[in-house]
Amino acid sequence: MNYTLHQLLVFKKVVETGSITKAAEQLHLTQPAVSIQLKNFQDQFDIPLTEVLGRKVQITEFGFEIAELAKNILNQVQEIDSKTMAFKGELIGRLKIAVVSTGKYVMPYFLADFMRLHKSIELNMDVTNKSKVVESLEKNEVDFALLSILPKDLNLEYLDLLDNELYLVGNASSKIGQKNIPEQVINEMPLIFREAGSGTRYAMERFIEGNKIKIQKKMELTSNEAVKQAVLAGLGYSIMPKIGIKNELHLKQLKIIPVKGLPITTKWKLVWLKGKKHMPLPKNYLDFLIKEKETISQSFFSDLI
């Protein structure tokens, strides 16, 4: 057999994505290039690795076993490279992090100094919804994830990075602003929710249920940015993370409406699967955060602390 590391990488990615097209996108290759590498890899085995049923690629049982071995080989190769560079005082490799959508206001600041210190490393940061972040963790596709609400059915370890405070927010022209506003006023507000499964949505629902508030008017939008734009436009009110509306508060385009029981405070957490054996790069990053997280918080988020 004479397969290459590149063929192992291509096959592993096809198995992970279940699609030649998606594998090509993630590897930044053309679809024909992936198909050729897959065929050249398959030609070295007498047992099928894949089957084409309809227009879908199906992985055989043998294919899954080979993919697992390919993954181990590629990890070992990365470790060899990492150890070599470590002896030279450098880190290399790709740091893979999945981030919930509101976390885009947080994670870059906890990465910037580390990336500047280690110019040879690559970053793959996937900003997506909570369900996809949790799925990436479950499949062990990422080194870390950034969440504010931990999933109940995953055994995780985590490092607290920053407080996440959620307030009731309206646009600047809102007439509601007195302290301790009556509960009936909240009931009459058109409230704007994030989509089901969002950490912000979960915190918002717990507050509403805990205070026995009955919502008369309700809207649902699928991103924090969409909710913010809707509130700016005067479509309604929402309970939102302060970190995502700092600029709008500063410009007096939005305002926090004082309500008893708010803010809701959660924690932004860097999480990983319990028992995960980190490669040198993610291990170094975790060590860096443990040492520097307080300094980063004070430098960039002092107005939130």
Side-chain angles (χ1 to χ4, degrees), residues 193-293:
F193 287 72
R194 284 287 304 275
E195 77 282 5
S198 156
T200 301
R201 167 74 171 259
Y202 177 84
M204 190 170 174
E205 288 178 335
R206 296 292 77 76
F207 172 75
I208 290 168
E209 290 170 7
N211 288 274
K212 297 181 170 60
I213 298 171
K214 294 181 180 179
I215 304 302
Q216 304 298 325
K217 301 174 183 178
K218 176 179 173 181
M219 284 177 270
E220 182 177 302
L221 299 176
T222 57
S223 74
N224 193 69
E225 189 63 29
V227 172
K228 180 165 67 176
Q229 293 302 321
V231 175
L232 282 166
L235 283 175
Y237 301 80
S238 189
I239 294 176
M240 303 182 68
K242 186 178 179 183
I243 196 166
I245 56 171
K246 285 197 305 178
N247 290 339
E248 289 76 14
L249 291 173
H250 178 71
L251 295 171
K252 301 188 185 309
Q253 296 171 331
L254 294 176
K255 66 179 181 181
I256 289 172
I257 300 168
V259 177
K260 185 178 179 181
L262 292 179
I264 303 164
T265 302
T266 61
K267 293 277 189 183
W268 286 111
K269 302 174 185 292
L270 191 78
V271 306
W272 60 95
L273 288 174
K274 188 174 181 63
K276 183 176 176 67
K277 295 181 179 179
H278 290 301
M279 301 289 284
L281 172 55
K283 185 179 184 306
N284 271 268
Y285 179 58
L286 187 57
D287 291 342
F288 167 83
L289 282 184
I290 291 169
K291 181 181 177 182
E292 300 293 338
K293 65 172 185 166

Side-chain angles (χ1 to χ4, degrees), residues 95-109:
L95 188 64
K96 294 175 286 186
I97 303 176
V99 178
V100 292
S101 57
T102 311
K104 65 177 177 276
Y105 302 111
V106 178
M107 200 67 234
Y109 297 95

Side-chain angles (χ1 to χ4, degrees), residues 78 91 94-100 107 110-111 114 121-128 130 132-147 150 154 156-161 269-290:
Q78 183 181 342
L91 280 174
R94 180 176 296 169
L95 188 64
K96 294 175 286 186
I97 303 176
V99 178
V100 292
M107 200 67 234
F110 287 92
L111 283 162
F114 186 76
I121 67 175
E122 298 177 24
L123 173 66
N124 185 338
M125 189 173 80
D126 184 21
V127 180
T128 184
K130 184 183 175 184
K132 290 184 179 178
V133 170
V134 172
E135 182 181 347
S136 295
L137 277 171
E138 285 179 316
K139 293 183 176 179
N140 198 25
E141 294 174 345
V142 293
D143 300 306
F144 302 107
L146 184 72
L147 294 165
L150 296 181
L154 270 185
L156 300 171
E157 296 181 75
Y158 62 86
L159 176 68
D160 286 336
L161 295 183
K269 302 174 185 292
L270 191 78
V271 306
W272 60 95
L273 288 174
K274 188 174 181 63
K276 183 176 176 67
K277 295 181 179 179
H278 290 301
M279 301 289 284
L281 172 55
K283 185 179 184 306
N284 271 268
Y285 179 58
L286 187 57
D287 291 342
F288 167 83
L289 282 184
I290 291 169

